[in-house]
Amino acid sequence: MLRRRRIQGVPAGQRQTEGANQMSLDLRERISGCWAGKCLGGAIGMPFEGVPYRPNLTPESIRLRQDVPNDDLEMQLIWLTGLRERGLDLDAAAFSHLWRRHIPAGCDEYSIAIRNLRHGVNPPVSGWLDNCFADGMGATIRSEIWAAVFAGRPDAAMHFAELDASVDHWGDGVWGEIFMAAAECRAFTTGELIPSLEFGRAQLPDDCRLARTLDAVFELHRAGVEAGEAGSRIRETFYHYNFTDCVTNLAFICHALLWGNGEFLPSVLSAVNLGRDADCTGASVGAFLGILLGRGGLPADLLERLNDRLSLSPYVERVPGVPQTLTETVDETLRLHETLRPKLPAVPYPAYAPYRPDGSEPAICRSRWLVADPAECDTEALERELRKSGRCPERLKHRIIETGQLQFDLSPFARDANTLELFTFLQVRGTPPDPVMVSATADVGLTLWFDGEMQCNHHSRLPSLPSFHRAEGGAAFTRHFRDGERRLVRLRLQYCLPPLRACLMFGDPANNHLDEITLEI
């Protein structure tokens, strides 16, 4: 049975409506709908996370697995404990403390933030430094808590969303969470769909990539473009090689909401069926409609399959006082709203101003490489010489580059689709984990050797996206190392054209970056 409620801001002629007007819903009902919709939408999209294709999922083919933890929800549970402990004093330093204390590992931007925080780099620099995933979805999916706790005060919702996102994101990655927090905050108090999305868009600067993308999506909707055609245009125009890119996925989310006519399951399926970060888009659409419809407006057959007990990662379960059930999550969210909302300052919080790098940022991952061009020297003979002497020949020292960035720029050496051969020595100091995760990526085809032994040969020609679990533009693999080990690294890059980036990095099985392995010559 599908329960239907009227959503404000959706023209009545676009859908059938029954039951109570949205404005009659109380805050508990909306919060309950938000968290239930979040869980349902995420579970529906989970099997298709990261797919490059369109899944064509139907109501009949949905497979709900609720035993898989999802960072769309569980990190927000940690923020609930932070709000309980610190209240409105939950500032950038407090967020850093929560990460250091409770989040031991993660992927992509989470991994970068953890590395930066471990080295004393605090937000907002932690979200910018060496972050290839600064525009990822990792913060956008954490917006609901701020919208709910600060319902009626969008300035506060946006302020705490900014603090949250700035730990592990920058620029559009922060604007994404601000957009969703503002739109959802408006939805909590008005029950309106389209005006809420437009309110969220109004909080963005016109010159950011997210704003330009959302403007194009809204224009397609105003022009009356049919849903399927609009989805195809959006996917073709804003497709991104990083499947977690928040701009691409927010375009999918807004498409699903704008053309979904306020219907829960069709809207969630629309988001999931555009592919890419499908669990996050499904979860965000589900949460947004849960706010508008309330729990009682969600499909009864899906609610019957929803466990009240949350499936959480072990590190989240260990956090003292973290909610273990949906019921506890709703109760705690509402309690914090009732406690903190009256304490908010009368003066609105300031708008987000992205961090501007000034050159004072630290270099955490210094490495040195000898860059050789086979057209100018015999690289086979050079490799033999390096392995024998263990040092760079004096005649080639002017070809050594030093970089303090995770991805190093080789554009000055890339010309006429040439081949580049890079050499360095891998040095192990201390006892590394066993095994070590190795990630080698570049914007062009690459081949990697350690002491003459080939490690990987990858030629997908995807842009470099360094990660330990999904290394687009290269490969991630395991290798065993021991303390004191030193090996010659040879990295061949083919058909080089600017701009050109490459990366070789090392991590533990939990995707944490290692300090024990350095690259020196």
Side-chain angles (χ1 to χ4, degrees):
M1 178 182 70
L2 177 64
R3 300 166 179 161
R4 290 179 175 173
R5 286 179 173 164
R6 175 67 186 274
I7 294 178
Q8 302 296 307
V10 176
Q14 291 188 12
R15 65 191 298 273
Q16 298 293 319
T17 61
E18 298 174 3
N21 185 285
Q22 278 299 103
M23 296 297 287
S24 68
L25 299 180
D26 65 15
L27 186 58
R28 174 179 287 277
E29 175 70 4
R30 292 192 192 277
I31 292 174
S32 183
C34 171
W35 293 131
K38 183 84 167 176
C39 292
L40 287 171
I44 290 170
M46 180 69 78
F48 305 99
E49 179 184 14
V51 298
Y53 56 85
R54 302 184 69 165
N56 295 318
L57 187 65
T58 66
E60 295 74 27
S61 59
I62 290 174
R63 298 293 180 267
L64 284 184
R65 280 194 61 188
Q66 300 180 53
D67 58 339
V68 180
N70 196 323
D71 60 350
D72 293 49
L73 173 63
E74 60 183 9
M75 288 185 71
Q76 297 189 73
L77 303 181
I78 299 177
W79 303 166
L80 282 175
T81 68
L83 281 171
R84 183 192 308 140
E85 295 172 4
R86 300 294 298 270
L88 300 181
D89 293 328
L90 187 66
D91 56 11
F95 271 107
S96 297
H97 177 73
L98 286 172
W99 275 80
R100 292 188 182 101
R101 182 180 179 187
H102 296 308
I103 304 174
C107 300
D108 299 343
E109 58 262 50
Y110 298 172
S111 177
I112 294 293
I114 291 169
R115 184 207 70 160
N116 288 342
L117 292 170
R118 189 175 74 240
H119 285 270
V121 179
N122 294 311
V125 185
S126 61
W128 173 83
L129 183 65
D130 275 340
N131 195 352
C132 310
F133 304 93
D135 292 347
M137 277 290 283
T140 296
I141 60 177
R142 307 196 297 253
S143 62
E144 291 84 11
I145 178 177
W146 315 120
V149 171
F150 300 111
R153 279 293 299 270
D155 63 300
M158 291 186 289
H159 171 72
F160 284 93
E162 171 199 335
L163 292 174
D164 173 10
S166 293
V167 177
D168 55 336
H169 294 80
W170 179 80
D172 282 303
V174 178
W175 286 122
E177 184 170 2
I178 289 173
F179 164 75
M180 288 298 287
E184 291 161 343
C185 190
R186 168 83 178 235
F188 265 114
T189 55
T190 67
E192 298 176 326
L193 195 160
I194 295 176
S196 294
L197 293 175
E198 292 175 338
F199 177 76
R201 163 59 187 93
Q203 313 310 311
L204 307 178
D206 292 339
D207 60 349
C208 73
R209 184 164 63 101
L210 177 58
R212 296 193 300 270
T213 300
L214 295 182
D215 287 347
V217 174
F218 292 158
E219 181 57 35
L220 288 173
H221 185 255
R222 284 191 292 267
V225 178
E226 184 267 332
E229 172 65 19
S232 296
R233 289 193 200 178
I234 292 168
R235 197 173 192 276
E236 179 179 355
T237 304
F238 302 111
Y239 190 91
H240 197 277
Y241 65 90
N242 174 18
F243 80 79
T244 68
D245 179 68
C246 74
V247 175
T248 294
N249 288 288
L250 279 166
F252 294 173
I253 288 167
C254 288
H255 170 269
L257 291 169
L258 289 170
W259 276 268
N261 297 330
E263 298 284 0
F264 181 84
L265 189 54
S267 299
V268 170
L269 290 179
S270 173
V272 171
N273 283 331
L274 287 172
R276 308 313 279 155
D277 208 352
D279 66 319
C280 292
T281 58
S284 293
V285 169
F288 205 105
L289 288 173
I291 294 168
L292 297 174
L293 296 167
R295 184 182 176 101
L298 303 184
D301 59 329
L302 292 178
L303 287 175
E304 290 171 359
R305 300 161 66 182
L306 181 64
N307 294 332
D308 190 51
R309 178 78 181 184
L310 296 170
S311 181
L312 302 176
S313 298
Y315 75 88
V316 179
E317 286 189 322
R318 290 193 294 266
V319 177
V322 76
Q324 301 288 325
T325 66
L326 274 174
T327 300
E328 291 175 5
T329 305
V330 173
D331 290 344
E332 183 66 3
T333 305
L334 184 61
R335 189 191 69 78
L336 286 168
H337 169 81
E338 293 171 344
T339 301
L340 298 178
R341 174 68 172 81
K343 298 179 181 179
L344 288 170
V347 177
Y349 285 96
Y352 169 54
Y355 171 74
R356 295 187 180 277
D358 58 12
S360 65
E361 299 80 17
I364 294 176
C365 55
R366 289 195 177 277
S367 62
R368 289 166 56 89
W369 294 82
L370 169 60
V371 182
D373 188 332
E376 300 174 358
C377 72
D378 184 345
T379 52
E380 298 297 330
L382 176 59
E383 180 180 20
R384 292 192 295 270
E385 183 178 359
L386 289 169
R387 292 184 66 179
K388 182 178 180 180
S389 69
R391 63 176 61 90
C392 177
E394 192 68 31
R395 69 183 185 278
L396 293 177
K397 285 188 176 180
H398 69 285
R399 300 281 298 190
I400 291 178
I401 63 169
E402 181 171 348
T403 176
Q405 298 177 321
L406 197 60
Q407 285 200 109
F408 49 95
D409 183 17
L410 293 166
S411 300
F413 303 94
R415 61 182 186 278
D416 302 326
N418 60 329
T419 296
L420 293 175
E421 299 266 12
L422 280 69
F423 297 91
T424 191
F425 288 95
L426 179 158
Q427 180 71 54
V428 183
R429 294 185 174 89
T431 304
D434 192 25
V436 168
M437 300 297 301
V438 183
S439 172
T441 59
D443 293 326
V444 296
L446 67 85
T447 309
L448 176 69
W449 295 265
F450 292 163
D451 277 351
E453 180 182 346
M454 184 182 292
Q455 305 298 306
C456 69
N457 186 38
H458 189 89
H459 298 271
S460 73
R461 304 309 296 267
L462 293 173
S464 174
L465 196 63
S467 179
F468 295 116
H469 76 298
R470 57 176 190 101
E472 278 90 338
F477 55 93
T478 60
R479 177 76 192 227
H480 302 282
F481 293 106
R482 65 182 184 277
D483 185 14
E485 189 170 349
R486 190 171 191 257
R487 292 181 175 271
L488 177 65
V489 177
R490 179 180 181 181
L491 178 63
R492 175 184 294 160
L493 306 178
Q494 294 183 303
Y495 302 106
C496 299
L497 294 168
L500 176 60
R501 303 160 303 164
C503 178
L504 179 63
M505 62 186 193
F506 305 88
D508 66 17
N511 300 313
N512 289 314
H513 292 255
L514 295 180
D515 297 326
E516 293 90 342
I517 300 178
T518 59
L519 300 171
E520 310 164 1
I521 189 167

